[in-house]
Amino acid sequence: MTDKESKQADDHELGMDRKIDRRDFLNGLAVSALALTTAPAFGADGAPQDLPTYYPPVLNGMRGDNPGSFEVAHALRDGRFWATAKHFEDLNHVYDLVISGAGISGLSAAYFYRQAVPDARILILDNHDDFGGHARRNEFHLRHHLELLNGGTMLIDSPRPYSRVASTLLDELGIKPTALAKACDRPGIYRELKLGGSTFFDAETFGQDKLVPGQGMSWANGGKHVSWSDFLQQAPLSDVVKQDILRIETGTEDYMPGLTSDEKKDRLSRISYRDFLLDIVKANPGVIPFYQARTHGEWGVGIDAEPALDCWAMGLPGFQGLHLKPGAIHRMGNTAAGYEATGGSAKFHFPDGNASIARLLVRALIPAAMPGHTVEDVVTAKAVYDELDRATQAVRIRLSSTVVGARNIGHPDSSQGVEIAYSRMGEVYRVRAKSCILASWNMMIPYICPELPEKQKEALHQLVKVPLVYVSVGLRNWHAFDRLGISGIYSPGSYYSSTFLNMPVDIGSYKSVRSPDEPILIQMVRTPCKPGLPERDQHRAGRYELLATSLETFERNVRNQLGRMLKDGGFNPAEDIMAITVNRWAHGYAYEYNPLFDNFNTPYDQLPNVVGRKRFGRITIANSDSGAAAYTDSAIDQAHRAVQELVTLERL
Ligand SMILES: Cc1cc2nc3c(=O)[nH]c(=O)nc-3n(C[C@H](O)[C@H](O)[C@H](O)COP(=O)(O)OP(=O)(O)OC[C@H]3O[C@@H](n4cnc5c(N)ncnc54)[C@H](O)[C@@H]3O)c2cc1C
């Protein structure tokens, strides 16, 4: 067989030629990604979202930063946009507030502004074809059963307590996380079936494909107890590596004798976990591939770029004998001072993650767009997208609209308003507003607002976002997981470094799967980092990789990896996969300062996010980026700050 024939044969076995839901498909009406952005007028107001059939949560294929959402922004960044912009139409529409970004921060900003100015008219613009930003809903109908998964933001948690502002907002939306946690059945069925964590050792990294249950990632931790020595006995690792992993996991030696807890913590904050294992624990370098991806999901980089102290706080092993005093560790600019211990929950999550928070905010802003009244019924509510942008409403959300310019009218110190330009379906439009909040990605702001002071633009450029991919895969059944006794897989050498069965959560009329015979969603996570480079460079390189990777490659890797990992459970990738949605977040988590690469002695008021978010005339800046914290509470807090800045100014 030629290489081509052999690839075709492999692809056939993997099921690449099977007809599944992987192309963009909109309520029975096939709409190519391009059509969503370049189609001529075909809704009431001339945009796809004005069609009654428009319902992006069910779209499969390449989602997250979907094709059509980023091309305009990249042209603006590269200086190509204005040279080729076709048409500039002044809509002569005047709003009280225009917000760039319909993520949690932009939606919260609209909510807070309406509290301060109840009759305010607000326009929210977002470059994606759905609202919510990272808080994105993936909705599947597998054998006619509604299955939900988070395409991005999942948990209402944070390393610090939710502020009074953020917890009050949740409360006003009806979200009482503690009460909801009691009501939902989590992890339920997986514990009953005794499914636990596992690790997949791949042949390319470890010499042999082998799935070893007992240790690794899982939601349920309800699997059979397997000791580290029993687990390691089955692992394809050399004896010396096994001994060192056992020492790291269960040893009680103090590797830093003679230092106080504070001195140890200080040193651990300045070295990577990789260097801690190699230089302080003196482990054999062969342990590194086993631990390398343990920090991928949390921080988007491997253990080479993550401070050992953060890894201790996250519960990684090796620190047992160091007797470090418990206590929060704070990343720059994120001290807990002034925060109340309220709100948030690491236990409760909505079946579509924090997309439900975005949907509740939309209900509060435009009730007709989100039927229902309770925090439970929002989960199954079908959003009415053609209500989002009606002239009769005080708040309008306009999707597939990239903000390309925001300019104070007059000098920023005496500005009486802002002109905002946005691009939609190949046209450029201009609107005016009393004020503007850029609740969108901060490093893009210098291109939108080139009049900003140079120092502020430089600071904004430093907030390099963290790329990552969450793939939602619909499976016909989950017998293979059940047979292997696993609910999650840690796969440190593979393309996707973790795989989970959808975590059960029952709320309102939404019921999670009850039996391995039923279809289920799983989530596979890829973090495209480049070990060895400084953190920001890893993120930049990862972003280029994601944008250059085709849907076909993501899919082939899903099929190949699931087939290899679940082989002994009888999994057949050609038969068992029903649907694939790739949530590609080239611009994912907000950048959080890292003592390995950032100067921790920088005074608070000189931190890039603090310098970068300074109000400029009637334009101000929100988004979790401006809090340098990749969490929902940060997105809400920064929205509140931005609104207060404007309201104070407007009242002068
Ligand atoms: C995969 C993933 C998982 C996560 N999991 C969690 C979690 O479990 N818990 C948690 O607390 N946080 C999580 N986060 C962090 C998440 O970023 C925040 O919680 C929060 O959702 C951020 O909201 P935001 O509004 O600040 O930003 P975003 O959600 O990024 O929203 C900003 C919006 O602005 C839009 N935009 C950008 N530029 C423009 C422009 N020029 N014109 C118009 N619109 C523009 C963007 O496309 C986006 O829709 C996760 C993030 C990712 C990527």
Side-chain angles (χ1 to χ4, degrees), residues 602-623:
T602 309
Y604 180 80
D605 62 358
Q606 288 173 32
L607 290 173
N609 65 306
V610 178
V611 175
R613 73 189 182 207
K614 197 162 180 298
R615 180 178 60 76
F616 182 62
R618 287 185 168 268
I619 302 170
T620 192
I621 294 167
N623 194 279

Side-chain angles (χ1 to χ4, degrees), residues 101 104-105 126-128 133-134 153-155 403 441 623-624 630 632:
I104 297 283
S105 200
D126 197 285
N127 57 323
H128 285 105
H134 296 148
T153 311
M154 178 185 179
L155 292 168
V403 173
W441 300 333
N623 194 279
S624 51
T632 293

Side-chain angles (χ1 to χ4, degrees), residues 393-412:
Q393 274 146 3
V395 180
R396 304 175 72 170
I397 299 177
R398 195 161 296 160
L399 300 170
S400 303
S401 301
T402 305
V403 173
V404 290
R407 198 169 61 87
N408 280 294
I409 302 171
H411 192 276

Side-chain angles (χ1 to χ4, degrees), residues 93-99 110 113-114 117-124 389-396 398 432-435 650:
H93 292 174
V94 183
Y95 297 88
D96 293 292
L97 178 67
V98 168
I99 299 173
Y113 194 85
R114 292 268 301 170
V117 187
D119 55 354
R121 294 184 62 80
I122 302 176
L123 174 66
I124 308 174
D389 190 11
R390 297 248 177 186
T392 47
Q393 274 146 3
V395 180
R396 304 175 72 170
R398 195 161 296 160
R432 288 182 187 77
K434 225 181 337 175
S435 300
E650 286 165 8

Side-chain angles (χ1 to χ4, degrees), residues 109 117 119 130 193 206 227 270 348 427 444 457 508 514 610:
V117 187
D119 55 354
D130 202 353
L193 294 173
F206 299 98
S227 70
R270 293 166 203 282
F348 170 74
E427 306 284 334
M444 187 67 202
K457 287 197 271 187
R514 285 286 180 274
V610 178

Side-chain angles (χ1 to χ4, degrees), residues 55-113:
Y55 194 64
V58 294
L59 290 174
N60 298 119
M62 194 71 99
R63 301 294 297 152
D65 295 329
N66 57 288
S69 65
F70 54 83
E71 293 80 353
V72 165
H74 289 178
L76 189 69
R77 175 200 64 192
D78 298 343
R80 289 180 282 116
F81 178 76
W82 290 109
T84 52
K86 262 200 303 190
H87 186 74
F88 201 112
E89 187 179 337
D90 196 331
L91 291 177
N92 285 320
H93 292 174
V94 183
Y95 297 88
D96 293 292
L97 178 67
V98 168
I99 299 173
S100 169
I104 297 283
S105 200
L107 296 170
S108 303
Y111 183 90
F112 292 135
Y113 194 85

